[in-house]
Amino acid sequence: GLGLGLGSGAAEPMGNLLGRPPARQVFDTAIFDLDGTLLSPDHTLAPATIHTVRKLHAKGVTIAIATGRSAPALLPVVEALGLPEVPVVCYNGAAGITCTLDAAGKARVQKQVFQAPVSAEATKAAVAFGERLGLVVQYYAGDKILVTRENELTRRYRHLTGVQQVVVPNFEGQPLPSKILVMVEEERVDEVHAAAKEEVPACFGSSLKPKPRPNPSPNPDPTPSTDPHPHPDPKP
């Protein structure tokens, strides 16, 4: 999918760019999700995708990213795109950053535009919920992903995103996180979903929904996500 921010820019209509009949509106911004959208099923950037995104940029279109990933997990994508500057909303909407390339072509966070950490109440509830059910909780503190133990799901996440979690005894004394991810095995999704609705409605309410199955491609964030910054259109 491709999110288009309509504006009054001078870029060509999408149809012209992709060789189809021109669309009525003209757009100046293209906002991409990563997993399941800009990235292929194996969570890599296809050469054709890079070519098309660069072509859009050359036409004057601002390329932006909106993702649930952390900043370290998205920098390799920005680097592969090779664009001089990319605005990014990450951590499921909890932070806005601007990414640029240095002289060596390495992507870095040039500026933080905004940050809205998870509340202390929601953090405490989510961590306690995950621990009570024996689930691994990923705690996104700054640019680090903290866990109190590792399992197959944390190893899968690390393989797909290239980000190494940091194992800590507990989360006490840590800054409020940008995101919390409770990692759930596929066979426990229904159980955990029912328990979350019962135990933490103040944090998650009706935004916590069962994920459609089967999942055609692996997602770095195993289901269901108990993220206090839910995406308005949750994905498997």
Side-chain angles (χ1 to χ4, degrees):
L2 172 65
L4 300 180
L6 301 183
S8 58
E12 287 190 33
M14 189 66 161
N16 288 0
L17 187 63
L18 301 182
R20 297 196 294 266
R24 289 174 180 249
Q25 72 272 9
V26 173
F27 61 90
D28 58 15
T29 302
I31 306 172
F32 296 90
D33 187 15
L34 293 184
D35 300 290
T37 304
L38 197 64
L39 301 182
S40 300
D42 62 356
H43 300 275
T44 61
L45 272 172
T49 300
I50 296 174
H51 173 76
T52 301
V53 170
R54 289 178 178 176
K55 193 171 181 180
L56 279 168
H57 181 263
K59 294 290 184 178
V61 176
T62 297
I63 304 299
I65 291 172
T67 177
R69 287 193 178 204
S70 65
L74 64 86
L75 287 177
V77 177
V78 173
E79 193 170 303
L81 290 174
L83 304 181
E85 182 174 290
V86 179
V88 176
V89 175
C90 50
Y91 299 104
N92 286 97
I97 59 178
T98 301
C99 296
T100 59
L101 300 181
D102 63 19
K106 295 291 184 180
R108 63 186 182 92
V109 177
Q110 189 271 333
K111 179 174 64 174
Q112 180 167 291
V113 181
F114 69 86
Q115 184 177 19
V118 181
S119 70
E121 178 187 5
T123 296
K124 182 178 179 180
V127 170
F129 174 77
E131 290 179 346
R132 188 187 73 76
L133 293 180
L135 303 171
V136 171
V137 175
Q138 288 201 158
Y139 189 106
Y140 294 69
D143 287 338
K144 295 181 179 179
I145 301 177
L146 308 180
V147 295
T148 56
R149 62 185 175 89
E150 295 186 293
N151 65 3
E152 182 57 35
L153 294 179
T154 61
R155 288 187 286 271
R156 175 186 172 200
Y157 184 95
R158 182 166 62 246
H159 173 73
L160 292 176
T161 66
V163 177
Q164 173 71 57
Q165 300 96 332
V166 178
V167 179
V168 295
N170 54 61
F171 303 126
E172 293 181 9
Q174 297 294 339
L176 290 175
S178 297
K179 174 179 173 178
I180 294 175
L181 181 69
V182 178
M183 309 183 84
V184 183
E185 295 85 355
E186 181 72 14
E187 62 272 14
R188 296 189 64 189
V189 167
D190 293 336
E191 169 207 345
V192 174
H193 171 245
K197 286 180 65 178
E198 181 69 24
E199 297 182 28
V200 285
C203 294
F204 311 111
S206 61
S207 68
L208 188 65
K209 302 175 182 178
K211 304 294 183 176
R213 293 178 286 169
N215 187 355
S217 65
N219 191 299
D221 287 354
T223 57
S225 169
T226 54
D227 177 13
H229 297 284
H231 191 285
D233 182 20
K235 295 184 179 181

